[in-house]
Amino acid sequence: MCTLVRRIKVHHMRASAMADDVRLGVGLNVRRCRLAAGLTQASLAERMGVDRSYVSGLERGHRNPTVLTLWHLAEVLNVRVRDLVDGL
Amino acid sequence: MCTLVRRIKVHHMRASAMADDVRLGVGLNVRRCRLAAGLTQASLAERMGVDRSYVSGLERGHRNPTVLTLWHLAEVLNVRVRDLVDGL
């Protein structure tokens, strides 16, 4: 495979791996704050007005939430938005 | 107008006003970090691979970026994601 194509492929693989890390980082922060607030995934979902599967997917790093969703989560979890992007 | 309907209307107006504040807060943070990095909107847009109008709309509070977009902005601006959600 020519070097340029290989380099592009490696670049995309790295970018995709970084994106996975970012989503998982947010998920782990949400989980940590949820447990600290003494909430189950179901009770957090209910307060957010979303399905439990959304919270479960978010915590497993399968979602790419917007800043408004992060702000709503922070309000419900009684934390700052920066707590949900800690470490990113 | 019956009290319940009025209360629902007031609730939605407040939620919408809060959403505007969150988007504008992110926009002002992006602008502050962009200027600190000595970049124009055009050069930031080019490094992000987006149109200049996206950066302009983001800084005016008209966008609702995802956490991956915030992460990409932070990488280009050489700041932390939490710097872009400061104050929220």
Short mmCIF file of all heavy atoms in Angstrom, two decimals, chain A residues 63-88:
data_model
loop_
_atom_site.label_atom_id
_atom_site.label_comp_id
_atom_site.label_asym_id
_atom_site.label_seq_id
_atom_site.Cartn_x
_atom_site.Cartn_y
_atom_site.Cartn_z
N ARG A 63 -21.97 7.78 23.16
CA ARG A 63 -22.72 8.99 22.78
C ARG A 63 -21.75 10.15 22.58
O ARG A 63 -20.64 10.15 23.13
CB ARG A 63 -23.72 9.37 23.90
CG ARG A 63 -24.69 8.29 24.27
CD ARG A 63 -25.91 8.25 23.36
NE ARG A 63 -26.88 7.30 23.85
CZ ARG A 63 -27.24 6.19 23.17
NH1 ARG A 63 -26.68 5.93 22.01
NH2 ARG A 63 -28.14 5.35 23.66
N ASN A 64 -22.21 11.13 21.85
CA ASN A 64 -21.43 12.35 21.62
C ASN A 64 -22.32 13.54 22.00
O ASN A 64 -22.85 14.24 21.13
CB ASN A 64 -21.01 12.42 20.15
CG ASN A 64 -20.17 13.66 19.86
OD1 ASN A 64 -19.58 14.25 20.77
ND2 ASN A 64 -20.12 14.07 18.59
N PRO A 65 -22.51 13.78 23.30
CA PRO A 65 -23.49 14.76 23.77
C PRO A 65 -23.12 16.20 23.37
O PRO A 65 -21.93 16.53 23.25
CB PRO A 65 -23.48 14.60 25.29
CG PRO A 65 -22.14 14.03 25.61
CD PRO A 65 -21.79 13.15 24.42
N THR A 66 -24.15 17.01 23.19
CA THR A 66 -23.91 18.43 22.91
C THR A 66 -23.64 19.16 24.23
O THR A 66 -23.89 18.62 25.32
CB THR A 66 -25.14 19.07 22.25
OG1 THR A 66 -26.20 19.08 23.21
CG2 THR A 66 -25.56 18.35 20.98
N VAL A 67 -23.22 20.42 24.10
CA VAL A 67 -22.91 21.19 25.31
C VAL A 67 -24.20 21.45 26.11
O VAL A 67 -24.17 21.49 27.34
CB VAL A 67 -22.18 22.51 24.95
CG1 VAL A 67 -23.07 23.52 24.25
CG2 VAL A 67 -21.51 23.10 26.18
N LEU A 68 -25.33 21.57 25.43
CA LEU A 68 -26.59 21.78 26.16
C LEU A 68 -26.97 20.52 26.96
O LEU A 68 -27.46 20.62 28.08
CB LEU A 68 -27.73 22.17 25.20
CG LEU A 68 -27.69 23.61 24.72
CD1 LEU A 68 -28.84 23.91 23.75
CD2 LEU A 68 -27.76 24.60 25.89
N THR A 69 -26.72 19.35 26.37
CA THR A 69 -26.99 18.10 27.10
C THR A 69 -26.05 18.01 28.31
O THR A 69 -26.48 17.64 29.40
CB THR A 69 -26.81 16.89 26.16
OG1 THR A 69 -27.75 16.99 25.10
CG2 THR A 69 -27.01 15.59 26.92
N LEU A 70 -24.78 18.37 28.12
CA LEU A 70 -23.83 18.36 29.24
C LEU A 70 -24.30 19.31 30.34
O LEU A 70 -24.25 19.00 31.53
CB LEU A 70 -22.43 18.76 28.76
CG LEU A 70 -21.68 17.77 27.89
CD1 LEU A 70 -20.34 18.37 27.45
CD2 LEU A 70 -21.44 16.44 28.62
N TRP A 71 -24.79 20.49 29.92
CA TRP A 71 -25.26 21.48 30.92
C TRP A 71 -26.47 20.93 31.68
O TRP A 71 -26.53 21.03 32.91
CB TRP A 71 -25.61 22.78 30.21
CG TRP A 71 -26.14 23.81 31.16
CD1 TRP A 71 -25.42 24.59 32.02
CD2 TRP A 71 -27.51 24.14 31.38
NE1 TRP A 71 -26.26 25.38 32.75
CE2 TRP A 71 -27.55 25.12 32.39
CE3 TRP A 71 -28.71 23.69 30.82
CZ2 TRP A 71 -28.75 25.67 32.85
CZ3 TRP A 71 -29.90 24.23 31.28
CH2 TRP A 71 -29.91 25.20 32.27
N HIS A 72 -27.40 20.30 30.96
CA HIS A 72 -28.59 19.73 31.60
C HIS A 72 -28.18 18.62 32.58
O HIS A 72 -28.65 18.58 33.72
CB HIS A 72 -29.53 19.18 30.51
CG HIS A 72 -30.90 18.86 31.01
ND1 HIS A 72 -31.88 18.31 30.20
CD2 HIS A 72 -31.46 18.98 32.23
CE1 HIS A 72 -32.98 18.11 30.92
NE2 HIS A 72 -32.75 18.51 32.16
N LEU A 73 -27.23 17.75 32.14
CA LEU A 73 -26.72 16.70 33.03
C LEU A 73 -26.11 17.32 34.30
O LEU A 73 -26.36 16.87 35.41
CB LEU A 73 -25.64 15.88 32.31
CG LEU A 73 -26.11 14.75 31.42
CD1 LEU A 73 -24.98 14.33 30.48
CD2 LEU A 73 -26.57 13.55 32.26
N ALA A 74 -25.31 18.37 34.10
CA ALA A 74 -24.64 19.01 35.25
C ALA A 74 -25.67 19.59 36.21
O ALA A 74 -25.52 19.47 37.44
CB ALA A 74 -23.71 20.11 34.74
N GLU A 75 -26.75 20.17 35.67
CA GLU A 75 -27.81 20.72 36.52
C GLU A 75 -28.44 19.61 37.37
O GLU A 75 -28.59 19.74 38.58
CB GLU A 75 -28.93 21.34 35.65
CG GLU A 75 -28.57 22.67 35.03
CD GLU A 75 -28.67 23.83 36.03
OE1 GLU A 75 -29.79 24.17 36.47
OE2 GLU A 75 -27.60 24.33 36.42
N VAL A 76 -28.79 18.49 36.70
CA VAL A 76 -29.45 17.37 37.41
C VAL A 76 -28.50 16.74 38.43
O VAL A 76 -28.92 16.38 39.54
CB VAL A 76 -29.94 16.32 36.39
CG1 VAL A 76 -30.43 15.06 37.10
CG2 VAL A 76 -31.07 16.90 35.52
N LEU A 77 -27.20 16.63 38.07
CA LEU A 77 -26.23 15.98 38.96
C LEU A 77 -25.65 16.96 39.98
O LEU A 77 -24.83 16.59 40.82
CB LEU A 77 -25.11 15.36 38.13
CG LEU A 77 -25.54 14.19 37.23
CD1 LEU A 77 -24.40 13.80 36.28
CD2 LEU A 77 -25.96 12.99 38.07
N ASN A 78 -26.07 18.25 39.88
CA ASN A 78 -25.60 19.29 40.80
C ASN A 78 -24.07 19.42 40.81
O ASN A 78 -23.43 19.45 41.85
CB ASN A 78 -26.13 19.00 42.22
CG ASN A 78 -26.05 20.24 43.10
OD1 ASN A 78 -26.09 21.36 42.58
ND2 ASN A 78 -25.88 20.04 44.40
N VAL A 79 -23.51 19.41 39.57
CA VAL A 79 -22.06 19.63 39.41
C VAL A 79 -21.88 20.73 38.35
O VAL A 79 -22.86 21.23 37.81
CB VAL A 79 -21.34 18.33 38.96
CG1 VAL A 79 -21.45 17.25 40.02
CG2 VAL A 79 -21.85 17.84 37.61
N ARG A 80 -20.61 21.08 38.05
CA ARG A 80 -20.32 22.05 36.98
C ARG A 80 -20.08 21.27 35.69
O ARG A 80 -19.68 20.10 35.72
CB ARG A 80 -19.07 22.88 37.34
CG ARG A 80 -19.13 23.57 38.67
CD ARG A 80 -20.21 24.61 38.75
NE ARG A 80 -20.09 25.63 37.73
CZ ARG A 80 -19.47 26.80 37.90
NH1 ARG A 80 -18.89 27.06 39.08
NH2 ARG A 80 -19.43 27.71 36.96
N VAL A 81 -20.31 21.95 34.57
CA VAL A 81 -20.09 21.27 33.27
C VAL A 81 -18.64 20.80 33.19
O VAL A 81 -18.34 19.71 32.70
CB VAL A 81 -20.43 22.21 32.09
CG1 VAL A 81 -20.05 21.58 30.75
CG2 VAL A 81 -21.92 22.55 32.11
N ARG A 82 -17.71 21.61 33.73
CA ARG A 82 -16.29 21.21 33.63
C ARG A 82 -16.01 19.89 34.34
O ARG A 82 -15.09 19.17 33.97
CB ARG A 82 -15.39 22.31 34.17
CG ARG A 82 -15.50 22.60 35.65
CD ARG A 82 -14.34 23.46 36.13
NE ARG A 82 -14.50 23.76 37.54
CZ ARG A 82 -14.82 24.96 38.02
NH1 ARG A 82 -15.03 25.96 37.20
NH2 ARG A 82 -14.93 25.17 39.32
N ASP A 83 -16.85 19.55 35.36
CA ASP A 83 -16.66 18.26 36.04
C ASP A 83 -16.93 17.10 35.08
O ASP A 83 -16.42 16.00 35.26
CB ASP A 83 -17.59 18.15 37.26
CG ASP A 83 -17.28 19.24 38.28
OD1 ASP A 83 -16.09 19.50 38.52
OD2 ASP A 83 -18.25 19.86 38.80
N LEU A 84 -17.79 17.33 34.08
CA LEU A 84 -18.16 16.26 33.15
C LEU A 84 -17.16 16.15 32.00
O LEU A 84 -17.18 15.17 31.26
CB LEU A 84 -19.57 16.50 32.60
CG LEU A 84 -20.68 16.56 33.66
CD1 LEU A 84 -22.04 16.82 32.99
CD2 LEU A 84 -20.73 15.28 34.48
N VAL A 85 -16.28 17.16 31.83
CA VAL A 85 -15.24 17.10 30.78
C VAL A 85 -13.86 17.06 31.42
O VAL A 85 -12.84 17.28 30.77
CB VAL A 85 -15.37 18.30 29.80
CG1 VAL A 85 -16.69 18.27 29.06
CG2 VAL A 85 -15.13 19.62 30.50
N ASP A 86 -13.83 16.73 32.70
CA ASP A 86 -12.55 16.64 33.42
C ASP A 86 -11.63 15.62 32.75
O ASP A 86 -12.06 14.55 32.36
CB ASP A 86 -12.86 16.21 34.88
CG ASP A 86 -11.64 16.35 35.77
OD1 ASP A 86 -10.93 17.35 35.60
OD2 ASP A 86 -11.41 15.46 36.60
N GLY A 87 -10.39 16.04 32.56
CA GLY A 87 -9.40 15.11 32.01
C GLY A 87 -9.34 15.09 30.49
O GLY A 87 -8.49 14.41 29.90
N LEU A 88 -10.21 15.85 29.83
CA LEU A 88 -10.20 15.84 28.35
C LEU A 88 -9.25 16.90 27.83
O LEU A 88 -9.19 17.97 28.42
CB LEU A 88 -11.61 16.06 27.79
CG LEU A 88 -12.68 15.06 28.24
CD1 LEU A 88 -13.99 15.32 27.52
CD2 LEU A 88 -12.22 13.63 28.00
#
